Amino acid sequence: MILRTFGWSFAFTAIGLLAALYFWGWEAFAVVAILSVLEISLSFDNAVVNAGVLKRMNEFWQRIFLTVGILIAVFGMRLVFPVVIVSLTASVGPIEAVELAVDDPDRYSEMVTDAHPSIAAFGGMFLLMIFLNFVFEEREIVWLRWLERPLARLGKIDAFSVGVALAALLLTATTVASQAYQHGGHHSDESETVLLSGLAGLLTYLIVGGLSGYFENRLEEDEERLAEAEEAAARAGKQPSAVGLAGRAAFFLFLYLEVLDASFSFDGVIGAFAITNEIFWMALGLGIGALYVRSLTIYLVRQGTLDDYRYLEHGAHYAIGALAVMLLISIRWHLPEVVTGLVGVGLIGAAFWSSVRQNRLDAASGEPGAEKPTVSV
C-alpha cells in the first residue's frame, strides 16, 4: 500500500536530491531537503481537506487529480510562479529572469535581494491572513487552549483578522521597512513599496479565498440538485443516470480542488523565499513536497484516517504564522535559512507529538464510541 501510493514520490525524491547534489553541491542538497519537508508540513492541512473532497470522487477523477492536477501544482505553481514573482518584483521579463538565474547567478541574486522587501511584504501578508483566519475561528478541537480560546472569541468581531493584518502591515511599513536591507549591506527606505506590496498580498488572499468559497458553494448546490433528482427518480420508479450525474459532480469537485490546492500551494511558494532565492532549488524542493502531498491525499482517502492526528492542522497553521512574521522581519534583518526552515518543522513535530499523546489517552480511556477528552497544551 505504501509503495503503491508513494512510489512516484520516493523516486522523484531520490532523483531530485541527487540532481541537487550533482549540479550544486551539499548546500543545495540540504536546502532542497528542507524545502521538501517544509512544503509537506505547510500543506498537510491541504492534504486533509483534499482527502475529504476526493473521497467522493470515483477512481477515474482521482487519477485526473493525480495527473493533470499534479502538472498544474508542480510545474505551474512551483516552477513558473516563482519566476513570475521575480519577474514582477525585479521589473524584468520571465525569460530574462531565467537566463539570469542560469548564466549570471550573482546578478540574479542581487536583483532578488533588492526586490526582497516587496516579496516579503506580499508573501508575509498572504501567510498572515491564512494564520489569522485559522486562529480567530472557533473550533471544537483546540491545541493551545490558553491561546486559541481567547482568540476565537475575538474572531467573532466582523473582519477582525483583516484589521489585525492591516495594523501589522502599517507597523512594518513605518518601522522595519524604513531601513530595508539591500544588496551589499546597504539599507534604504522601502516603506511605500512594502505598504503597496502588503496590500496586494492581502487583496490576493481575499480574491483566492473568494474563488475557493465560490466553487465550494457551487459544489454544495450541485450536490443538493443531485440528491433531489435521485429522490424524484426513486418516486417515479426510474433509475437516474449515474454516469452523467457523477460526471457533473466530479467536474465541480475537480475545479474546487484545483482552486483550493492553488491557494494552499501559494503559501509554500512564498514561504520558500524565506529560505532561498534559487528558483531551481525552490522548484525541486517544492515539487518533491507537492508530490508527497498528492500521495498523502490518496493515502488518507484509502486508509480513512483523516482524524488520526488531530493537531497537525494546528501545527501547520502556526508554522505559516511563524513564516509570515519571519518574512516581515527579514525586510530589515537577514535571518539564517536553517532557522526559518526548522521553525516550521519544529512546530509540526510538536503538533504531531501532541496528537500521538492524545491518541494514547483516548486508547487508555477504553470508550471509543464516546466523546473523548481533548488534552490541550
Side-chain angles (χ1 to χ4, degrees):
M1 177 65 179
I2 296 294
L3 186 60
R4 176 188 172 190
T5 305
F6 291 91
W8 283 105
S9 299
F10 292 153
F12 190 72
T13 300
I15 295 173
L17 290 175
L18 288 175
L21 180 62
Y22 178 79
F23 289 107
W24 299 291
W26 285 106
E27 182 183 0
F29 180 91
V31 170
V32 169
I34 290 175
L35 284 175
S36 302
V37 175
L38 182 64
E39 172 71 7
I40 295 170
S41 65
L42 288 177
S43 299
F44 186 88
D45 53 343
N46 186 12
V48 173
V49 175
N50 284 351
V53 179
L54 196 65
K55 66 183 180 181
R56 289 178 280 172
M57 301 169 69
N58 59 30
E59 188 175 351
F60 169 78
W61 280 98
Q62 289 182 4
R63 288 200 191 100
I64 294 295
F65 177 72
L66 286 174
T67 53
V68 177
I70 200 63
L71 291 175
I72 298 173
V74 174
F75 295 101
M77 290 301 298
R78 272 75 175 188
L79 181 60
V80 177
F81 186 64
V83 175
V84 172
I85 290 179
V86 173
S87 176
L88 291 176
T89 55
S91 300
V92 298
I95 297 178
E96 184 181 354
V98 175
E99 290 176 346
L100 283 172
V102 175
D103 301 328
D104 193 357
D106 292 336
R107 174 58 182 157
Y108 173 81
S109 179
E110 293 177 10
M111 295 174 63
V112 173
T113 300
D114 290 341
H116 180 74
S118 57
I119 295 174
F122 184 90
M125 291 305 299
F126 187 91
L127 295 176
L128 186 61
M129 281 300 300
I130 293 176
F131 169 70
L132 292 176
N133 276 334
F134 179 83
V135 296
F136 287 142
E137 182 178 347
E138 190 171 3
R139 300 177 181 279
E140 294 183 4
I141 297 176
V142 294
W143 182 31
L144 306 178
R145 183 182 298 273
W146 57 271
L147 177 63
E148 294 175 14
R149 291 300 190 194
L151 291 179
R153 288 193 290 269
L154 289 174
K156 295 179 180 180
I157 302 174
D158 290 340
F160 190 73
S161 60
V162 176
V164 172
L166 288 173
L169 176 59
L170 183 61
L171 179 64
T172 302
T174 55
T175 57
V176 177
S178 62
Q179 290 291 323
Y181 180 82
Q182 298 287 279
H183 174 72
H186 303 294
H187 291 80
S188 64
D189 188 353
E190 299 289 340
S191 299
E192 182 179 351
T193 299
V194 167
L195 186 60
L196 291 176
S197 299
L199 287 175
L202 176 61
L203 179 61
T204 300
Y205 173 83
L206 295 175
I207 292 174
V208 171
L211 286 174
S212 297
Y214 169 76
F215 280 115
E216 186 175 9
N217 292 334
R218 287 291 302 272
L219 174 60
E220 292 175 355
E221 293 173 1
D222 190 66
E223 288 180 336
E224 290 177 0
R225 286 195 297 268
L226 290 176
E228 293 174 358
E230 289 176 354
E231 291 178 1
R235 289 194 298 267
K238 299 179 181 180
Q239 183 68 28
S241 176
V243 175
L245 294 175
R248 287 196 297 271
F251 177 72
F252 279 109
L253 280 169
F254 178 74
L255 290 180
Y256 171 62
L257 276 176
E258 288 307 308
V259 173
L260 190 66
D261 186 69
S263 65
F264 274 104
S265 64
F266 188 81
D267 67 274
V269 174
I270 293 297
F273 277 101
I275 298 176
T276 181
N277 291 327
E278 297 286 346
I279 58 173
F280 296 111
W281 300 6
M282 193 183 301
L284 271 178
L286 296 180
I288 291 172
L291 280 172
Y292 276 104
V293 171
R294 292 298 172 112
S295 299
L296 182 60
T297 299
I298 293 297
Y299 181 81
L300 292 173
V301 170
R302 292 173 178 170
Q303 293 294 106
T305 55
L306 294 178
D307 299 322
D308 278 359
Y309 303 103
R310 66 196 71 183
Y311 301 132
L312 279 176
E313 184 178 7
H314 295 71
H317 280 85
Y318 281 112
I320 290 174
L323 272 177
V325 173
M326 288 187 289
L327 274 172
L328 295 177
I329 292 175
S330 69
I331 293 173
R332 183 169 181 174
W333 295 285
H334 174 72
L335 300 177
E337 286 78 2
V338 174
V339 173
T340 56
L342 293 181
V343 165
V345 176
L347 288 169
I348 290 294
F352 175 79
W353 171 246
S354 296
S355 301
V356 171
R357 185 180 63 175
Q358 181 63 49
N359 289 342
R360 290 174 180 173
L361 291 174
D362 290 345
S365 69
E367 299 179 358
E371 184 178 350
K372 302 173 182 178
T374 299
V375 176
S376 302
V377 179

